[in-house]
Amino acid sequence: MTQAAQHPEATSELFGRHDVDGDQMEREERSALRRVGDLGQGLSSELEDVSEVEYRRLRLERVVLAGVWSGADGTVADAENSLRELGALAATAGSSVLDGVLQRRLNPDPSTWLGQGKAAELRGIVAEVGADTVIADGELSPSQRRGLEDVVKVKVIDRTALILDIFAQHAKSKEGKAQVELAQLEYLLPRLRGWGESMSRQAGGRVAGGEGIGSRGPGETKIELDRRRIRTRMAKLRREIKAMKPARETRRASRRRGRVPSVAIAGYTNAGKSSLLNRLTGAGVLVEDALFATLDPTIRRAQTPDGRDMTLADTVGFVRRLPTQLVEAFRSTLEEVGDADVLVHVVDASDPDPEGQIAAVRTVLGELGLWGSGRTAEVTAALGHDLVELVVLNKADAADPEVLTRLQRREPGSVVVSARTGAGIEELRERVGELLPRPDVRVDVLVPYERGDLLSRAHTAGEVDAVEHTAEGTRLHARVGPDLAAELEAASAVAETGAPR
């Protein structure tokens, strides 16, 4: 058991104080490196079954988590939650989390992030538990990563690299893989590190790179060659992603022409979005208790309680401090949110910080121009309406009733559900049906019998008031969208004039 766990009263006394003098902290707080390996639900994913130890050593990296808390970014509880989330991310990536430490200091050290003394202490912890990787709960500069790595003597990665690795494991579609690779290369480019003579070795022709004369400039170093290759690959990926855009736009344009109302399911990662989609549509989408189990959007058809067709799109989840590279790379994936009529914002009500989840999702959507004040006028004009948000408080079966009450007060009109048990799903269907736009064009038309397709679309995409069958065709009284109304009027004009059809 860690020292912090043996003396919880001393730990709480040390980290619970906020008495500072100007910009100076108490000496104990500034020098403290807090062990948080078994706080709350615990960070450790150490296997209990001894028979599995060798398998774990072969297949999984053994990691120690490290965090820096300045006090300016929230409370110590927020910092602990962030470190626990990092532990869940590490477990999703296939690592075994052995321990976690949290240091309080005003600013990260510019050379080693934790500071020289505390980095040396971390090296002792790494050696003690037998870890081979340290994961930092933040984004390290290239010099900070190198500096910390030189001290702890094992591989060091940061939060951004970890998330990129998870995305690389889970991307399935061609576009998703291209977006992940582009994000990885953008992250890697400024962090290339040469070893030994490779930083300074210069040679022309085939000597260094094996590329032949004309492939690179004479005297180009190996690291320069690597950078040029990365930039070339990035340019190719951008062209490929751009070439995939017309197909996406064609599919969305087809849905718009049919005026099928659309619902986008968005939210924090592992909030239960895919489980909710399965409940609403029976889609059979992968459901896994892991972060970022869904990367490629899944679109399924469903019906409102009053029989109207709609589409539901399951999108990639969010996390706090989502890497900038991924926000940009997955803009196309999240375009489904911008085109939706209703945004079903799924929140894990059993999470220690559900309000933080809500804020993180809205921040990223705003940065993408899809939500709130960040939503562009072009998007709104193209759709003809604003995006309507419906907050869904999921995992009610595992949530604290007091937390649910607090969230309902904070988010008026929210719906409480449990995708696992099915509680509240019917109420959610009703609310979604109420929020979806209704067809606003009234038609009284004669539909020829050979145009049964138009009659079928009126039933699925519109609201039919009355149907009367005559010798010339079907008399239809309904409310439909403007595109379908124009097609019905044209067909009716042909039928009523007796013109050849």
Side-chain angles (χ1 to χ4, degrees):
M1 181 176 290
T2 63
Q3 184 176 358
Q6 291 173 347
H7 304 285
E9 66 283 349
T11 303
S12 61
E13 179 184 356
L14 179 60
F15 285 87
R17 294 198 304 262
H18 298 279
D19 46 332
V20 296
D21 180 14
D23 288 336
Q24 299 299 314
M25 295 182 177
E26 293 288 343
R27 178 180 300 173
E28 299 90 349
E29 290 180 335
R30 285 187 279 120
S31 64
L33 185 67
R34 186 182 188 191
R35 300 287 287 274
V36 294
D38 51 3
L39 289 177
Q41 297 177 350
L43 287 166
S44 178
S45 59
E46 185 76 13
L47 298 176
E48 299 295 336
D49 186 353
V50 178
S51 66
E52 296 180 18
V53 172
E54 287 305 314
Y55 174 80
R56 184 184 65 249
R57 285 185 178 274
L58 289 172
R59 297 293 301 276
L60 304 179
E61 293 187 52
R62 298 162 60 84
V63 306
V64 171
L65 312 179
V68 172
W69 173 56
S70 67
D73 300 326
T75 65
V76 66
D78 294 331
E80 290 174 3
N81 287 336
S82 180
L83 206 62
R84 289 192 180 93
E85 181 177 273
L86 186 70
L89 288 167
T92 299
S95 299
S96 175
V97 181
L98 305 179
D99 209 340
V101 297
L102 182 65
Q103 183 190 18
R104 182 172 183 180
R105 55 182 294 133
L106 282 174
N107 295 296
D109 187 276
S111 59
T112 55
W113 195 61
L114 281 176
Q116 291 286 347
K118 298 306 132 186
E121 288 186 30
L122 178 60
R123 179 177 61 194
I125 295 171
V126 167
E128 174 191 336
V129 299
D132 52 35
T133 304
V134 169
I135 305 179
D137 191 17
E139 185 164 339
L140 305 185
S141 68
S143 61
Q144 285 175 326
R145 185 183 66 82
R146 289 194 296 267
L148 187 57
E149 213 167 57
D150 290 340
V151 174
V152 299
K153 305 301 182 184
V154 296
K155 181 174 68 175
V156 174
I157 64 173
D158 60 16
R159 185 185 182 95
T160 300
L162 176 61
I163 294 175
L164 287 169
D165 184 78
I166 295 171
F167 272 53
Q169 292 182 39
H170 289 186
K172 295 294 185 292
S173 69
K174 182 180 179 181
E175 184 173 9
K177 291 178 180 178
Q179 289 167 333
V180 170
E181 185 180 353
L182 177 60
Q184 286 179 313
L185 292 177
E186 287 177 342
Y187 173 81
L188 175 64
L189 188 60
R191 292 170 171 81
L192 284 180
R193 183 179 186 181
W195 296 93
E197 296 180 355
S198 65
M199 286 286 286
S200 59
R201 183 178 66 211
Q202 295 185 349
R206 290 186 290 270
V207 176
E211 295 294 325
I213 295 173
S215 65
R216 60 188 176 88
E220 188 175 23
T221 63
K222 182 178 183 301
I223 198 167
E224 288 169 348
L225 176 62
D226 291 340
R227 285 182 181 137
R228 184 158 58 83
R229 284 173 169 166
I230 288 176
R231 291 191 184 99
T232 301
R233 178 61 179 166
M234 287 170 61
K236 182 180 179 182
L237 288 170
R238 288 192 180 101
R239 289 194 299 269
E240 290 178 357
I241 293 172
K242 185 178 180 180
M244 298 174 194
K245 187 174 182 180
R248 291 196 313 272
E249 292 178 342
T250 299
R251 289 192 295 268
R252 287 200 300 273
S254 175
R255 291 198 295 271
R256 288 196 196 114
R257 281 195 302 272
R259 304 299 289 181
V260 178
S262 60
V263 177
I265 303 176
Y268 212 74
T269 184
N270 210 29
K273 299 181 296 299
S274 297
S275 298
L276 198 62
L277 179 70
N278 288 342
R279 274 286 178 183
L280 292 170
T281 67
V285 175
L286 168 68
V287 174
E288 187 177 356
D289 186 17
L291 306 188
F292 298 118
T294 301
L295 290 187
D296 300 309
T298 302
I299 300 174
R300 294 289 185 269
R301 275 187 178 262
Q303 283 191 329
T304 62
D306 57 3
R308 288 181 294 151
D309 278 356
M310 63 177 176
T311 62
L312 291 103
D314 184 18
T315 61
V316 65
F318 302 91
V319 293
R320 298 171 183 86
R321 292 172 287 159
L322 188 68
T324 305
Q325 296 94 334
L326 283 178
V327 171
E328 288 302 316
F330 278 81
R331 180 183 294 273
S332 59
T333 302
L334 295 168
E335 284 175 357
E336 297 294 342
V337 175
D339 280 348
D341 297 296
V342 175
L343 170 66
V344 172
H345 182 168
V346 184
V347 180
D348 180 0
S350 66
D351 187 80
D353 183 23
E355 290 89 350
Q357 288 191 0
I358 295 172
V361 171
R362 288 173 175 167
T363 296
V364 175
L365 290 178
E367 290 173 356
L368 291 171
L370 303 174
W371 170 252
S373 58
R375 186 178 170 92
T376 61
E378 291 79 6
V379 172
T380 302
L383 295 178
H385 59 79
D386 284 323
L387 183 64
V388 180
E389 181 192 35
L390 173 61
V391 175
V392 177
L393 306 177
N394 192 26
K395 304 188 183 180
D397 55 309
D400 186 334
E402 293 184 3
V403 173
L404 288 172
T405 302
R406 184 184 77 216
L407 290 172
Q408 285 180 293
R409 285 198 303 265
R410 185 182 185 275
E411 300 292 338
S414 57
V415 180
V416 178
V417 305
S418 170
R420 188 178 69 84
T421 66
I425 296 298
E426 289 308 314
E427 181 186 356
L428 174 59
R429 291 182 193 273
E430 294 284 348
R431 289 297 308 281
V432 169
E434 293 170 3
L435 293 173
L436 286 173
R438 292 184 173 276
D440 52 2
V441 180
R442 287 190 173 276
V443 293
D444 179 3
V445 292
L446 182 66
V447 183
Y449 284 120
E450 58 267 29
R451 294 307 309 271
D453 60 309
L454 293 177
L455 196 63
S456 175
R457 285 171 56 190
H459 278 279
T460 57
E463 297 182 7
V464 176
D465 297 324
V467 173
E468 179 186 355
H469 299 289
T470 68
E472 296 78 16
T474 303
R475 177 65 62 178
L476 174 68
H477 301 268
R479 284 185 299 177
V480 295
D483 292 341
L484 181 55
E487 293 185 57
L488 287 168
E489 293 286 357
S492 179
V494 172
E496 292 180 346
T497 57
R501 297 188 287 272

